Amino acid sequence: MIQIICIGWVLGIAIMGKTLPILQSLLLPCSALFILTLLLKLTVFKQAHCLGFKFLQCCIGLSLGIILGYSYADHQLNERLQIREQQSEQVEVIVYIKHINELGDQTIQQKIQVLNRHTAVVQWQAFLKNEMHSGSKSVLELGQYYRLQGQILPAHSYATEGAFDQEQWYIQQNIMSGFKVSSIHKLTEQEVYALGHGQYLKQQASVSSQLQLWVEQQRLALRNFIHQQPVQHKGLMLALLTGDKSLLDTETEQLFQRFGMSHLLAISGPHVLIFAVLLCWGLHQLIRHDRPQLYLKWPKQYLLIWPFCASVVLYCAFVGFEIPALRTLLSCLLISAFILFKQKVRPFNILLSSASILLIFDPFSILSAAFWLSYGACFVLLRIYQTVQQRRGMDELKTRTQYITMQLKLLIESQWKIFLALFPLMMLFFKQIAWITPLSNLFAIPWIGLVIVPLDVIAALCYFIAEPLGSLVFQINDLCLAALLWLLQLLDGLFAPILQPIAMTFAVWLSLCLGLIILFLPRAVLPKTWSILCFIPLIGLDASKNQFELNVLDVGQGQAIFIRDQDQTMMIDTGGNYNEAKFSIGKQIILPFLSVKGVDQLDQLILTHLDQDHSGAYASIKQDLPIKHVYSNEQVPIPDSSQFDYCHQGQQWSWNDGMNITVLSPKAENLANAKTDQNEMSCVVYVQVKNAQPYQNFLLMGDAGWRTEYQILQDYPDLKVDVLVLGHHGSRHSSAYAFLKQLKPKIVIASAGFNNRYGHPSQMTLQRLQQLDIPVLSTVQQGSIQFSRQANGQMQLHYAREQKLWLKRAAVKLKS
C-alpha cells in the first residue's frame, strides 16, 4: 500500500501548475475512505483474501496519494509565484553572493540573493558583461555583499506548445527574475547591518552557511586551476567533473548534441558512485594491509558503509546537489539503512522511495527533464540487472571469454534498451532524436564512465593534496578526452548525425509509453503481447479526422499562423529571430510545435512578405520540414521538393468542401513594388470556415497598413470578418478607425513580443478598438491563441497561457 501511495504522490506532484480545485475538495473524503478501508482490513478482512476489496483499497490509496501530492505541489507553487517579478523596471538592490557563476562568451550569469526586494530573501539571475573570459576572479566575489543597480528582466516564455518554457525553468531553479546589472558597489558587513539586514548576516555566519560557502569557493578554485592547465579539452573536463559548462567551447557542445549525448555533460549518478567507490576502495586497501582485525569486529559492508555515504554526501555538495546526484544520494542512504537494519533490499522500492522523498524536499524537481530521464534510466538498468541475475541463476560462466562476451552483450543490450525506453521522454522534452545515439553510446559511455570520470575524480582529489600531481593526472586525462573526441568526429564524418524532429501527437505518445511500459515490466505482471494493442495508434491514425483549427502562435515579435483542416495543413508566416543562428524561432518553436501536432510536412506555406520577423525562420527549417508549395510576394529559395509561386489577389484554395482560403492583396500587377514597399505589398489572407459559430471568417493582414486597408474596403465592400489579426502587430500605422468600424470584427488579435522596442500593439490602436468596443487578444497576454471547431460546429478558443499557473498574466490596463 505504501508503494501505491508513493506512486500517487509522484503523479500528484507531476500535475503541478494545473488548476484542479476538485482534487483539493476531495482530500477529506478520500482520507476518510482510506482510514475506513484500513479499519476494515484490520477487522472484517483480516484473514480473508478478497481481490475486490484489495483493488478498492489500491484505488483509494492511489487517489489519496495523487490528492496529497497535488495539494502539496500547488501550495509550494503559489508561494513561489507570489514573489516572482512580472514587470520590467530599473531598481537598486542589496545582494549577497553565495553561488559560483557561469561564464559565457558575452555574459556572466550569476545567481544572487536579493535582500531588500521582499520580506524573505529571493534569488535572481544576474547578467553581467564578460569583459575577460578567463578563470580569474569573477566580478561579483563569493561571500561578498553588493549594491547593484540595473533592470529587472522578468522571465517570459514563448507560450507555444512544444517550445521551451523559460518561466517553468525559472520556477524550477527557484529564480524569481532575471537582472541586467548596470552598476556595482561593494558593501562592508557594517554597511549591510546599517541597512537593516543584520539577521541575514547572522544566518551567513552559521557553520552550515560557511561550509556551503567553502564548497563553492573550492569549486571556483578548481575551475581556475583547470583553466590554467596546459590541456586542450579543459571545458569538457570541467563539465564532466562538476557539471560546470563555463569553459566548454560551442563546437564540442554541438558535437555532443548531434549525437544525442548532451546529458553526459551534466553530473549523473555514476559520477557520484565512482567517487565514493574509489575512496572506499582506497580505504579498504589500507584496512586490509594495516588493520585487518577491524574486519573481525565489524563486517566489511558495515564498516565501509559510513565512509561510502559520507563520500556521496561530499560529492553531491561539491556539484551543488544537482537532481541526478540527489537521486543517487537518497538511493544510497536508503540502501545503507536497509543493510544496517538487515532488511531485504528491493531495488524498485528504493527507486520509488527516493523519488518520493526527493519531491518532499524539492517538489519543483518534477519539472526538470533530469528528474524523469534519471529515474527512467535507473528503471531500465534495474530491469536489466534483474534479467542478468536470472541468467546467472540458469547459466554458470566457465571461462573468461564467456564472461567478457556476456559483458559485451550486456553493454549492447543496455544501450538499445535505454534508448528505446527513454525515447518517449526524449520526445516529450526535446521533440527530436538522434538515431545514432545507441551506437555512439556503446563507445562513449564505457570510456567516460570507466576511464575519464575516474581520472577526473582522481585528478581533483590530487589537486587538493598536491597540485603538481593533480596537474599531471589532468594532462593524462586530456589524452583520453582527445581519443573520445577523435572517435566522435570519425563517426560524425561517417554518419553526419543530425537531431531529427519527430512528429507525434499526445495520443500517439501516450500509446507508445504504455506499450513500452508493458514491454519492460517483469514477465509475470502483464502479457507482453498486450503491448501490440498500444502500438496500433502508431500506424492506424486517420489524418482526415482532424477538425479545423487555426493557431496564432506566440513567436515573440513576429507572426506565425498554423491552419489545419482534416488532412490539409498550411502556415502563414513562420516568425523569425533577428539572429536565427543565435536563437532559432524555426528550430526552437515552429518545429517543436508541429511535432506536438503530429505534422511532419506542410501542404502550403505563405510568406506574407520577407521581413525577418515574418519569414526569418523559413531559412532555418526548410531543409528539415517538407513543404509542397511555397508562396510569397517575392522570390525565395526553395528545396528541390518544393514548388514556388507568387501570392496575389484572386488566388483561392478550397479544402474538404468546408473551408476556403483567398488572397485579397496585393494585386498581381503591383508585385514589382514588393522590394521597396514590403509592408503594403504583404499577402493578405482571408479564411472562411463553413458552418462554424461564432467565429467563421478570419482576416490575416500581415504587415499591411492604411493604404492596403483602404484598397481592401474598395475591392470587397461586403467583406465579413469575425476575427481580425491586426496588421503590423497592431502598429499605429495600421488598423485605421474607418477600417475597424466597417468590418466590426468580434475579436482582434495582436501578434507581438513581450516588452518589444516598437511598443506594439500601440496605445493609439488600442484606443481605437476601445472606442469601437472590440475585444483585443495578444500573444503577449494569452500566448498562442487557438480556434478549434468542435463536432457540433462551435468554434472554441484556447489560450496557451491558461494551461499553467506560472504562465497566466494579469490583464494590462490601457494607458490614458
Side-chain angles (χ1 to χ4, degrees):
M1 181 53 65
I2 294 177
Q3 284 183 339
I4 297 296
I5 294 176
C6 285
I7 292 173
W9 170 262
V10 174
L11 293 176
I13 291 181
I15 309 174
M16 179 186 286
K18 292 286 186 181
T19 305
L20 300 171
I22 189 174
L23 284 182
Q24 293 180 332
S25 66
L26 292 174
L27 179 58
L28 288 178
C30 194
S31 300
L33 284 174
F34 182 74
I35 293 172
L36 179 61
T37 56
L38 285 180
L39 293 174
L40 290 174
K41 177 69 175 177
L42 295 173
T43 55
V44 179
F45 298 98
K46 188 174 183 179
Q47 302 297 330
H49 297 282
C50 179
L51 291 178
F53 178 76
K54 286 185 176 179
F55 177 75
L56 176 64
Q57 193 178 28
C58 287
C59 290
I60 294 174
L62 181 66
S63 301
L64 179 61
I66 291 174
I67 293 169
L68 288 172
Y70 172 77
S71 300
Y72 179 70
D74 188 63
H75 172 72
Q76 296 290 319
L77 176 59
N78 279 301
E79 282 194 343
R80 193 162 284 189
L81 290 178
Q82 289 175 6
I83 56 175
R84 69 169 177 168
E85 302 294 333
Q86 296 194 62
Q87 298 297 325
S88 180
E89 58 179 302
Q90 293 289 330
V91 296
E92 180 179 277
V93 290
I94 309 301
V95 306
Y96 176 70
I97 310 302
K98 64 185 296 186
H99 296 294
I100 188 175
N101 59 24
E102 184 173 325
L103 305 177
D105 291 331
Q106 304 296 327
T107 61
I108 297 174
Q109 297 184 30
Q110 173 76 71
K111 290 180 180 178
I112 57 176
Q113 312 304 307
V114 181
L115 311 186
N116 64 331
R117 187 66 178 175
H118 297 277
T119 304
V121 176
V122 295
Q123 182 170 253
W124 289 1
Q125 181 91 307
F127 299 93
L128 306 95
K129 288 185 179 179
N130 188 3
E131 298 176 352
M132 44 182 183
H133 188 271
S134 67
S136 60
K137 190 175 290 185
S138 61
V139 176
L140 298 178
E141 299 177 36
L142 283 168
Q144 299 298 320
Y145 295 87
Y146 294 90
R147 177 186 285 112
L148 303 180
Q149 291 180 334
Q151 183 180 13
I152 291 176
L153 303 175
H156 189 88
S157 302
Y158 294 96
T160 297
E161 283 187 272
F164 172 70
D165 190 341
Q166 186 193 42
E167 292 173 67
Q168 175 180 303
W169 186 84
Y170 266 47
I171 290 292
Q172 188 259 315
Q173 294 287 322
N174 194 22
I175 298 172
M176 297 299 101
S177 179
F179 185 63
K180 185 178 180 180
V181 179
S182 58
S183 71
I184 302 171
H185 176 70
K186 193 172 183 179
L187 299 175
T188 64
E189 290 190 356
Q190 290 77 13
E191 290 174 315
V192 175
Y193 187 85
L195 290 169
H197 304 295
Q199 187 61 37
Y200 190 78
L201 284 168
K202 289 181 181 179
Q203 289 180 358
Q204 297 311 309
S206 65
V207 175
S208 60
S209 296
Q210 288 298 306
L211 180 60
Q212 291 176 13
L213 178 61
W214 179 83
V215 169
E216 290 296 304
Q217 289 170 339
Q218 300 314 305
R219 292 181 67 197
L220 180 60
L222 181 60
R223 182 172 80 187
N224 293 338
F225 178 75
I226 292 176
H227 187 267
Q228 295 165 5
Q229 298 308 302
V231 295
Q232 289 186 330
H233 310 296
K234 57 188 71 174
L236 185 55
M237 198 176 293
L238 180 65
L240 291 171
L241 180 62
T242 67
D244 185 353
K245 298 180 183 179
S246 293
L247 308 180
L248 190 64
D249 61 273
T250 305
E251 184 180 346
T252 301
E253 192 168 7
Q254 289 177 348
L255 181 66
F256 273 71
Q257 287 175 351
R258 285 200 301 277
F259 281 94
M261 300 192 307
S262 297
H263 61 284
L264 297 179
L265 299 177
I267 288 300
S268 64
H271 290 65
V272 182
L273 292 178
I274 289 168
F275 171 73
V277 168
L278 282 173
L279 277 182
C280 289
W281 179 82
L283 183 60
H284 166 66
Q285 296 301 320
L286 287 174
I287 294 174
R288 191 165 65 90
H289 286 93
D290 299 333
R291 294 287 189 274
Q293 62 272 19
L294 289 176
Y295 284 148
L296 298 176
K297 189 174 182 180
W298 296 287
K300 180 170 68 175
Q301 63 269 30
Y302 294 110
L303 182 62
L304 294 180
I305 205 167
W306 298 104
F308 180 81
C309 290
S311 303
V312 173
V313 171
L314 179 62
Y315 197 99
C316 287
F318 190 72
V319 298
F321 290 103
E322 295 288 337
I323 288 174
L326 270 179
R327 183 255 304 161
T328 305
L329 171 61
L330 289 171
S331 299
C332 290
L333 292 178
L334 286 170
I335 291 172
S336 300
F338 274 70
I339 292 173
L340 288 174
F341 290 103
K342 300 181 180 179
Q343 299 295 314
K344 187 176 181 180
V345 176
R346 300 181 184 275
F348 180 75
N349 291 354
I350 295 294
L351 208 59
L352 184 59
S353 300
S354 70
S356 302
I357 295 171
L358 173 60
L359 293 176
I360 292 175
F361 291 105
D362 182 16
F364 299 98
S365 60
I366 201 81
L367 302 176
S368 168
F371 176 88
W372 295 101
L373 292 172
S374 177
Y375 278 98
C378 283
F379 173 74
V380 178
L381 291 173
L382 169 62
R383 289 292 302 120
I384 294 171
Y385 170 77
Q386 291 173 334
T387 303
V388 171
Q389 292 298 100
Q390 293 171 358
R391 289 176 183 174
R392 285 180 178 176
M394 295 183 292
D395 304 318
E396 290 188 7
L397 302 178
K398 297 179 180 180
T399 66
R400 181 175 294 274
T401 303
Q402 289 177 326
Y403 177 79
I404 294 173
T405 302
M406 190 200 76
Q407 295 300 318
L408 289 174
K409 287 182 179 179
L410 180 61
L411 175 62
I412 296 172
E413 179 184 353
S414 64
Q415 289 311 310
W416 75 259
K417 281 187 174 180
I418 288 175
F419 176 80
L420 188 62
L422 296 186
F423 177 77
L425 290 176
M426 298 295 288
M427 283 305 308
L428 178 65
F429 292 111
F430 307 117
K431 311 297 182 301
Q432 53 190 4
I433 204 75
W435 298 110
I436 199 175
T437 298
L439 175 62
S440 59
N441 280 354
L442 280 177
F443 306 98
I445 287 182
W447 190 248
I448 290 174
L450 299 178
V451 178
I452 293 173
V453 172
L455 282 175
D456 243 358
V457 171
I458 292 171
L461 290 173
C462 291
Y463 159 74
F464 291 107
I465 299 170
E467 287 191 10
L469 182 58
S471 176
L472 177 61
V473 180
F474 275 128
Q475 292 177 51
I476 295 172
N477 203 20
D478 188 53
L479 299 176
C480 299
L481 285 169
L484 172 67
L485 292 177
W486 175 84
L487 178 61
L488 291 180
Q489 287 164 358
L490 177 63
L491 292 174
D492 193 29
L494 292 174
F495 298 100
I498 59 171
L499 288 169
Q500 180 67 39
I502 303 294
M504 190 176 293
T505 62
F506 178 75
V508 173
W509 179 85
L510 185 60
S511 298
L512 180 62
C513 287
L514 292 175
L516 290 174
I517 288 172
I518 292 173
L519 283 177
F520 280 92
L521 284 173
R523 293 181 182 276
V525 178
L526 287 174
K528 303 294 184 184
T529 51
W530 285 19
S531 61
I532 298 174
L533 298 176
C534 299
F535 295 141
I536 290 176
L538 298 177
I539 56 175
L541 285 180
D542 185 1
S544 65
K545 294 182 179 179
N546 291 319
Q547 293 291 332
F548 169 84
E549 62 177 293
L550 184 147
N551 299 264
V552 181
L553 303 185
D554 179 6
V555 290
Q557 183 59 24
Q559 177 177 284
I561 298 171
F562 171 75
I563 303 173
R564 173 163 63 182
D565 188 30
Q566 297 184 29
D567 58 347
Q568 297 288 313
T569 57
M570 169 188 276
M571 283 203 72
I572 299 173
D573 288 334
T574 62
N577 193 19
Y578 70 95
N579 185 351
E580 278 283 308
K582 184 177 181 181
F583 178 84
S584 174
I585 294 291
K587 293 185 181 298
Q588 303 299 325
I589 298 178
I590 302 301
L591 290 182
F593 169 79
L594 294 177
S595 170
V596 170
K597 291 294 183 181
V599 176
D600 56 9
Q601 73 169 6
L602 290 175
D603 294 302
Q604 293 164 295
L605 169 64
I606 298 177
L607 300 174
T608 60
H609 61 301
L610 300 189
D611 276 359
Q612 182 71 8
D613 60 335
H614 287 253
S615 64
Y618 167 69
S620 62
I621 65 174
K622 64 183 180 181
Q623 299 300 331
D624 297 326
L625 179 67
I627 306 170
K628 292 182 181 179
H629 299 276
V630 180
Y631 302 88
S632 185
N633 62 358
E634 293 183 66
Q635 178 72 52
V636 294
I638 59 171
D640 295 337
S641 59
S642 301
Q643 295 180 359
F644 176 81
D645 195 5
Y646 291 97
C647 68
H648 55 81
Q649 187 182 69
Q651 284 175 316
Q652 188 170 2
W653 302 276
S654 295
W655 286 4
N656 309 309
D657 298 323
M659 190 184 78
N660 291 320
I661 302 173
T662 308
V663 178
L664 306 186
S665 181
K667 295 181 179 180
E669 59 268 24
N670 295 333
L671 285 173
N673 301 324
K675 280 188 179 295
T676 57
D677 198 7
Q678 284 192 342
N679 288 350
E680 294 300 340
M681 292 297 107
S682 290
C683 302
V684 177
V685 182
Y686 183 55
V687 180
Q688 295 172 287
V689 186
K690 296 180 181 178
N691 303 319
Q693 292 296 332
Y695 308 110
Q696 187 172 7
N697 306 299
F698 300 79
L699 182 60
L700 318 175
M701 293 297 296
D703 268 358
W706 294 340
R707 181 154 45 94
T708 303
E709 292 170 359
Y710 176 78
Q711 189 62 52
I712 287 175
L713 293 181
Q714 297 300 309
D715 294 341
Y716 305 94
D718 299 323
L719 190 67
K720 294 180 179 179
V721 176
D722 298 311
V723 178
L724 171 66
V725 178
L726 295 175
H728 207 181
H729 321 286
S731 162
R732 65 190 181 93
H733 297 296
S734 62
S735 307
Y737 184 87
F739 181 71
L740 295 172
K741 184 177 180 180
Q742 181 165 331
L743 295 182
K744 200 61 169 66
K746 296 176 181 177
I747 199 170
V748 302
I749 299 173
S751 180
F754 177 67
N755 276 348
N756 66 84
R757 61 193 175 113
Y758 309 102
H760 294 159
S762 77
Q763 290 296 309
M764 189 177 295
T765 300
L766 294 176
Q767 287 172 0
R768 294 175 200 147
L769 293 166
Q770 188 180 58
Q771 291 171 8
L772 293 167
D773 197 24
I774 300 174
V776 184
L777 300 176
S778 75
T779 53
V780 175
Q781 292 294 116
Q782 280 76 34
S784 290
I785 300 167
Q786 181 190 71
F787 296 84
S788 60
R789 183 175 60 185
Q790 306 304 300
N792 59 4
Q794 284 294 308
M795 193 75 75
Q796 289 190 352
L797 262 172
H798 303 274
Y799 308 134
R801 288 199 173 275
E802 294 295 318
Q803 304 305 309
K804 295 289 186 180
L805 279 175
W806 54 76
L807 291 176
K808 290 185 178 180
R809 288 286 175 270
V812 175
K813 295 182 180 179
L814 187 65
K815 296 178 182 178
S816 57

